[in-house]
């Protein structure tokens, strides 16, 4: 018991002076315990570091992917902008073309209206021509019935030939020259078939005409023009000759309608030449020359 009292007293004294209950050596963990502690705490730390590394890696990866996708999107946006600009340019071009087409369409519509008006005018003219053709046909029938003119001369085909299944009437027959209100036939045969003045007149009468009677200066000039390749005593008979010492036309007129001083020798006739300042020459009516026939043109 005495020993126990001393231990209590020592412990009480020790606590009183404030000394620690145990020393460092008492609370220090043994090496095997520290190793155990490190061994037990390492897995959670490693896991944390691993998770952190994974997160960082994923962040880097996704950042790279996002950057790459962003670059692609920017390139696509730029390409789309370029395409949009091209489409805008094409749209403007199409707009310009559309305006031109609209203008052309308006021109065509105006031309169509003009053609419609012209068609109506032609229809009216065609009706008038049909009426004239009917009148002309009736005139031809009346003349044929009267017997004064040969049927061949007044045949419809001669004055109204068929062109594309339609008859088109004209004032002179084919081969006749039209001037003012008359038709002229220039007879220009080879030398063996040329005729005297009387023969030439008979030929013209067979065509319901006569040798040309010249009425004015304009007709005189046109007859001179019709006297092709003529000069000297090689010309074309006209309807003027000497009768009873006077110049007379075949229509019965005995007056010279133009200034012409050639003396009227009996048996002489007048002919037209192209190369002459007078245009007419006086030669024997028995000479053989070419000749010009004349008749009145039909009024259409």
């Amino acid at each position: 018991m005495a020993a126990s009292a001393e231990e209590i007293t020592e412990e009480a004294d020790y606590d009183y002076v404030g000394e620690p209950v145990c020393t460092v050596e008492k609370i220090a963990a043994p090496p095997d315990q520290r190793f155990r502690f490190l061994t037990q705490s390492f897995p959670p730390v490693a896991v944390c570091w691993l998770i952190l590394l994974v997160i960082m890696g994923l962040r880097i990866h996704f950042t790279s992917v996002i950057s790459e996708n962003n670059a692609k999107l920017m390139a696509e946006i730029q390409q789309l902008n370029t395409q949009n600009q091209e489409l805008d340019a094409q749209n403007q071009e199409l707009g310009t073309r559309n305006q031109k087409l609209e203008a052309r369409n308006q021109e065509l519509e105006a031309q169509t209206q003009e053609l419609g008006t012209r068609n109506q005018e032609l229809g009216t003219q065609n009706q008038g021509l049909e009426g004239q053709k009917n009148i002309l046909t009736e005139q031809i029938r009346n003349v044929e019935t009267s017997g004064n003119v040969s049927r061949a001369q007044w045949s419809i085909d001669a004055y109204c030939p068929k062109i594309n299944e339609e008859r088109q009437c004209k004032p002179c027959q084919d081969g006749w020259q039209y001037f003012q209100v008359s038709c002229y036939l220039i007879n220009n045969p080879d030398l063996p078939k040329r005729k005297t003045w009387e023969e030439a007149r008979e030929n013209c009468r067979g065509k319901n005409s006569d040798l040309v009677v010249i009425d004015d200066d304009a007709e005189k000039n046109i007859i001179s023009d019709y006297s092709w390749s003529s000069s000297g005593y090689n010309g074309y008979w006209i309807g003027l000759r000497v009768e009873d010492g006077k110049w007379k036309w075949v229509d019965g007129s005995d007056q010279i309608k133009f200034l012409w001083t050639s003396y009227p020798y009996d048996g002489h006739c007048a002919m037209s030449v192209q190369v002459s300042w007078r245009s007419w020459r006086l030669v024997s009516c028995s000479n053989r020359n070419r000749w010009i026939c004349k008749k009145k043109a039909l009024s259409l």
Side-chain angles (χ1 to χ4, degrees), residues 184-195:
Y184 304 89
L185 180 62
I186 316 303
N187 297 277
N188 189 22
D190 294 334
L191 184 61
K193 295 182 180 181
R194 295 179 183 179
K195 299 182 182 298

Side-chain angles (χ1 to χ4, degrees), residues 7 23 25 27 43 54 74 87 96 111 130 149 158 162 165 180 183 205 210 214 217 257 261 288:
E7 292 176 2
T23 62
E25 288 80 0
I27 63 174
V54 170
M74 292 299 294
L87 291 175
T96 303
Q111 291 178 1
E130 286 292 333
V149 184
K162 283 186 176 181
E165 301 301 327
Q180 291 181 341
C183 299
R205 286 177 173 178
D210 209 335
I214 299 173
D217 286 329
K257 300 177 182 179
T261 58
R288 292 189 172 275

Side-chain angles (χ1 to χ4, degrees), residues 186-243:
I186 316 303
N187 297 277
N188 189 22
D190 294 334
L191 184 61
K193 295 182 180 181
R194 295 179 183 179
K195 299 182 182 298
T196 64
W197 190 92
E198 287 288 351
E199 292 173 345
R201 187 180 185 191
E202 188 66 23
N203 178 269
C204 289
R205 286 177 173 178
K207 298 180 175 66
N208 190 38
S209 61
D210 209 335
L211 287 173
V212 57
V213 175
I214 299 173
D215 294 323
D216 51 37
D217 286 329
E219 189 175 20
K220 182 180 180 182
N221 293 332
I222 196 68
I223 292 302
S224 178
D225 292 338
Y226 288 158
S227 303
W228 302 315
S229 301
S230 59
S231 62
Y233 295 95
N234 179 21
Y236 290 78
W237 290 125
I238 60 175
L240 181 64
R241 69 175 176 175
V242 178
E243 292 184 6

Side-chain angles (χ1 to χ4, degrees), residues 12 34 39 49 54 57 65 93 98 147 161 182 192 197 212 215 224 231 289:
R34 291 198 302 270
T39 303
W49 278 103
V54 170
V65 171
E93 183 179 358
N98 186 39
S182 301
W197 190 92
V212 57
D215 294 323
S224 178
S231 62
N289 286 311

Side-chain angles (χ1 to χ4, degrees), residues 82-206:
T82 303
Q83 292 177 356
N84 188 35
Q85 292 176 355
E86 293 176 355
L87 291 175
D88 288 339
Q90 292 178 1
N91 188 33
Q92 291 178 356
E93 183 179 358
L94 290 174
T96 303
R97 293 175 60 184
N98 186 39
Q99 292 177 354
K100 291 181 179 179
L101 289 175
E102 289 179 354
R104 180 58 178 167
N105 187 37
Q106 292 177 356
E107 292 178 1
L108 291 176
E109 288 179 354
Q111 291 178 1
T112 300
Q113 293 178 356
E114 184 178 354
L115 289 174
T117 304
R118 181 59 178 166
N119 188 36
Q120 292 178 354
E121 294 176 356
L122 290 176
T124 303
Q125 293 178 2
N126 187 42
Q127 292 177 357
L129 290 175
E130 286 292 333
Q132 292 177 359
K133 184 178 74 173
N134 294 334
I135 295 173
L136 180 60
T137 303
E138 186 65 25
Q139 290 177 351
I140 293 173
R141 289 175 180 173
N142 293 336
V143 172
E144 288 177 345
T145 303
S146 66
N148 294 329
V149 184
S150 66
R151 182 176 298 272
Q153 174 67 29
W154 285 93
S155 65
I156 295 177
D157 290 337
Y159 288 91
C160 302
K162 283 186 176 181
I163 300 176
N164 296 329
E165 301 301 327
E166 293 185 1
R167 290 190 180 276
Q168 296 184 5
C169 298
K170 52 188 179 179
C172 298
Q173 294 173 277
D174 289 338
W176 291 71
Q177 306 293 328
Y178 177 67
F179 177 72
Q180 291 181 341
V181 294
S182 301
C183 299
Y184 304 89
L185 180 62
I186 316 303
N187 297 277
N188 189 22
D190 294 334
L191 184 61
K193 295 182 180 181
R194 295 179 183 179
K195 299 182 182 298
T196 64
W197 190 92
E198 287 288 351
E199 292 173 345
R201 187 180 185 191
E202 188 66 23
N203 178 269
C204 289
R205 286 177 173 178

Side-chain angles (χ1 to χ4, degrees), residues 238-252:
I238 60 175
L240 181 64
R241 69 175 176 175
V242 178
E243 292 184 6
D244 299 328
K246 295 181 179 180
W247 287 107
K248 286 188 177 180
W249 293 97
V250 292
D251 63 353

